[in-house]
Amino acid sequence: MAASWDGSYDPGSQSDDSHHFERLHIEPLYDAFVCPLTKQVMRDPVTLENGQTFEREAIEKWFKECRESGRKLVCPLTLKELKSTDLNPSIALRNTIEEWTTRNEAAQLDMARRSLNMSSSENDVLLSLKFIQHICQKSRSNKHVVRNADLIPMIVDMLKSSSRKVRCRALETLLVVVEEDEDNKAILAEGDTVRTIVKFLSHEQSKEREEAVSLLYELSKSEAVCEKIGSINGAILILVGMTSSKSENVLTVEKADKTLENLEKFENNVRQMAENGRLQPLLTQILEGTPETKQSMAAYLGELVLNNDVKVYVAKTVGESLINLMRSGNMQSREAALKALNQISSYEASSKVLIEAGILPPLVKDLFTVGANQLPMRLKEVSATILSNVVNSGYDVDSIPIGPDHQTLLSEDNVHNLLHLISNTGPPIECKLLQVLVGLTSSPTTALNVVAAIKSSGATISLVQFIEVPQQDLRMACIKLLQNLSPYMGQELADALRGTVGQLSSLIRVISENTGISEEQAAAAGLLAELPERDLGLTRQMLDEGAFQSIISRVVKIRQGETRGTRFVTPFLEGLVRVLARVTFVLSEEPDAVALCREYNLAALFIELLQANGLDNVQMVSATALENLSQESKNLTRLPELPPPGVCASIFPCFSKQAVITGLCRVHQGTCSLKESFCLLEGQAVHKLVALLDHTNAKVVEAALAALSTLLDDGVAIEQGVSVLCEAEAIKPILDVLLEKQTENLRRRAVWVVERLLRTEDIAYEVSGDQNVSTALVDAFHHADYRTRQIAERALKHVDKIPNFSGIFPNM
């Protein structure tokens, strides 16, 4: 049994490396110094009743195992039973061993010291470092010995070794030397040593990284060294990276995380962590720090660039604290909070979190307050920016009370206050407040409140004037606001644009700029598109200023592919086409409009735009423009001049023969062309309009049907118009439109067209057998409006569903 203890117990057990030095004794090793059980030099020798001496822990373990196994208590050497297990300390022997050990360790340490240089062999250096670890682990007092022997700088020098093993062993040794020893940590922190250790964090070898981060973790327990670690460029960045790395082992990640926790004692370190993606320490300081710390951290938060997901997290974590800080009487704190809230609110989702945290009431109060406690203008600009962000987040701000009597931001008084501020502050704040109104007018339900307040305050003219300002962002905010307002106060805006000098020209100039396609240009085109299309005065002014020529040029370039790839192409093109179409609404009143349409062959352009697949609004507006142009064709076609009859023919009419003139338009009975008289029989217009009758958008179908109906209008040869539609295979699609009844307007239009078609006997005969068409006409006869019911009655007469003598309605 005694033999089984050989090497099985060693209180200071080390590898064979460290015992290399123990075997090099200056004084001989006496057998009395060695424990028979451990075969190691004893530290706490004790003697049994039979005079045998052992290491205390070893003999105690021996006795314990005897008891647990039920054996007799015997001496491990003599194997004779013992009467007592009393252990008597061998004080004299212990003192002798300690003196011997001290002398030998001093000699061994000196040997290790001489080996710590670049000229020594790798093995000697490794053994020396291992021995230093061994004696430091053996006794804390030995760490003082190592320090006093100036061994720490020598170990540090080994970090520059070309041997990876030596570098790793040096890092490992430094950890042992400085562990729980402030003085050694202070010495290690001198010079560039910490910087060298940090460099190991980015080494390719994982072992070096692991040893380096363990050493830094131990060093970071000292506040003095914490500051030094944080001051090293890249240290915190690398540590933060290690905490989120999936390639590092769990222990390394944990040590990196704990190191950062220790570094949080210094504000500068916290700032660096936040800058490198570890925000929680900074947020904790905002939540729990002193007022000065909260202010400092909030100010720094306002300087950070955060991604959107982080903004939401920050808003949820410290949003309420920042809002409370914003309410503080301390102007520096308010400024810091406002700048942080400005950063966080720039994302819709985080803005909504801030609204729910209660940001609106104090924010509006800050903007509207005047007097002793008012914010300086530079901070009112920040407040206006935050308000713009939260209002444009899509949250229902009208549900948030911000004043007495359940007032909201959309209450008339508050909108008046915003309008007053817009008129009495500088461009930066004006821009942000206009953006607030843009947000408030983005929804039809809230826009009406703003419209009412603008009308009651007479602010239309002052708002329109911003179109002329040189600041691009301010001008764009104004144009976007007016675009939002135009569906509700289009005539007022048209009057304002016509009544003032320069605004209309500025809008046209914005649209005409050939610098790609911007959001401002799309908004300007959208604004003009929403103005009343039959406002003759506005159209004339646009004709006088050459607006339509610029618009035609932009449309052509977009269709030719010269301008592409921006997200504003579609709204810009839709706006341009709508603005261009307004010229077709004044053809009968404005000769210059007819001249423009002829000069630029607008009929052909609108026919080409019918094929703008995927752009429903462009197709719809183009079909409407073609309807307007086609209605004017009967007035623009050149009727033939018949030659006067001869003398005989005048005396004897029976000898006269009707002159035959060829090349005339079948429908308009005169000389027609697409360019001069806008006749739809040219340019494949009819076929392209028929193709739109099965469009999924009812408004596009209605516009296409309206354009085709001009071929059946009073004043043209209706039977020839029917013939043209037959040749274009339009009859079935038109009947299908009647049957589908998508909208009331579409049914009204379809009934009118079908009645005209049924005037042709062949078509009436064919349709009379189609029960579905008859049912649709009967339904219109019973349920449509008064005028459509009359037309449906006539249509039913054509197919003999109603006798001609049974007129229900008076003749029209």
Side-chain angles (χ1 to χ4, degrees), residues 137-274:
Q137 287 167 335
K138 186 175 176 182
S139 166
R140 287 190 63 178
S141 61
N142 284 339
K143 294 185 180 184
H144 302 184
V145 174
V146 168
R147 178 173 68 247
N148 294 335
D150 289 332
L151 280 171
I152 294 176
M154 298 179 74
I155 301 169
V156 168
D157 285 342
M158 294 300 102
L159 297 175
K160 301 171 186 174
S161 169
S162 59
S163 164
R164 183 174 66 84
K165 288 182 179 179
V166 169
R167 295 195 301 269
C168 283
R169 183 69 59 83
L171 288 167
E172 190 182 298
T173 306
L174 287 171
L175 173 59
V176 174
V177 169
V178 301
E179 203 164 20
E180 298 181 3
D181 192 307
E182 290 297 315
D183 292 335
N184 284 0
K185 285 174 184 171
I187 290 175
L188 188 59
E190 292 174 359
D192 273 351
T193 305
V194 178
R195 186 186 303 277
T196 303
I197 297 167
V198 168
K199 287 180 181 178
F200 281 99
L201 296 178
S202 54
H203 273 216
E204 291 182 9
Q205 294 294 334
S206 60
K207 181 64 177 171
E208 287 175 288
R209 289 200 306 275
E210 290 167 20
E211 296 295 347
V213 79
S214 295
L215 178 54
L216 281 175
Y217 168 54
E218 183 60 36
L219 291 173
S220 68
K221 295 176 183 177
S222 164
E223 288 196 13
V225 186
C226 266
E227 199 166 10
K228 179 129 190 178
I229 295 172
S231 69
I232 295 167
N233 187 34
I236 288 176
L237 170 62
I238 297 170
L239 286 167
V240 170
M242 292 177 83
T243 61
S244 58
S245 172
K246 294 180 179 177
S247 59
E248 300 286 353
N249 71 45
V250 177
L251 190 60
T252 302
V253 171
E254 186 181 329
K255 288 282 178 67
D257 194 61
K258 288 182 176 178
T259 304
L260 289 168
E261 286 178 13
N262 290 337
L263 297 182
E264 290 171 17
K265 299 182 184 77
F266 292 88
E267 284 190 14
N268 192 49
N269 293 345
V270 171
R271 291 191 183 95
Q272 283 193 66
M273 290 178 204

Side-chain angles (χ1 to χ4, degrees), residues 373-593:
N373 203 32
Q374 73 172 354
L375 289 176
M377 276 300 171
R378 62 187 175 81
L379 293 186
K380 284 203 173 188
E381 181 185 343
V382 181
S383 293
T385 305
I386 300 169
L387 185 59
S388 168
N389 290 340
V390 298
V391 166
N392 283 282
S393 68
Y395 197 97
D396 179 16
V397 294
D398 199 27
S399 64
I400 308 293
I402 60 170
D405 303 322
H406 304 289
Q407 278 194 341
T408 70
L409 189 57
L410 283 158
S411 299
E412 190 172 36
D413 287 348
N414 286 324
V415 178
H416 282 170
N417 285 335
L418 287 171
L419 293 168
H420 177 75
L421 275 175
I422 289 170
S423 301
N424 293 279
T425 51
I429 300 183
E430 289 169 343
C431 176
K432 298 304 178 185
L433 294 176
L434 283 172
Q435 288 172 358
V436 170
L437 291 180
V438 169
L440 293 177
T441 53
S442 296
S443 161
T445 52
T446 55
L448 292 172
N449 297 65
V450 179
V451 168
I454 289 172
K455 287 181 178 179
S456 65
S457 64
T460 307
I461 298 294
S462 60
L463 289 174
V464 168
Q465 289 173 350
F466 283 107
I467 293 174
E468 289 189 279
V469 297
Q471 295 89 353
Q472 194 265 341
D473 55 346
L474 178 55
R475 188 176 64 235
M476 182 170 76
C478 165
I479 293 172
K480 287 173 71 176
L481 172 60
L482 296 178
Q483 182 190 12
N484 288 353
L485 296 172
S486 55
Y488 313 101
M489 48 189 299
Q491 193 58 59
E492 290 92 334
L493 294 176
D495 293 342
L497 287 169
R498 278 192 284 105
T500 53
V501 179
Q503 279 83 22
L504 184 60
S505 300
S506 295
L507 271 180
I508 295 164
R509 190 162 54 250
V510 167
I511 290 172
S512 304
E513 287 175 358
N514 260 325
T515 54
I517 297 174
S518 65
E519 184 180 10
E520 182 185 18
Q521 288 179 308
L527 167 58
L528 283 177
E530 287 289 349
L531 299 180
E533 55 204 8
R534 297 184 186 276
D535 189 315
L536 181 59
L538 186 62
T539 303
R540 280 179 174 159
Q541 191 170 336
M542 291 176 70
L543 282 165
D544 293 341
E545 297 192 13
F548 295 109
Q549 288 88 333
S550 298
I551 290 168
I552 292 166
S553 172
R554 295 306 309 260
V555 171
V556 170
K557 285 182 178 178
I558 291 171
R559 292 300 292 167
Q560 290 175 345
E562 292 182 27
T563 310
R564 63 176 70 182
T566 77
R567 60 195 177 105
F568 302 111
V569 169
T570 297
F572 186 49
L573 179 61
E574 288 177 351
L576 291 178
V577 174
R578 287 182 66 189
V579 176
L580 186 57
R582 72 179 295 123
V583 80
T584 67
F585 286 88
V586 298
L587 294 172
S588 60
E589 302 157 283
E590 183 54 60
D592 286 349

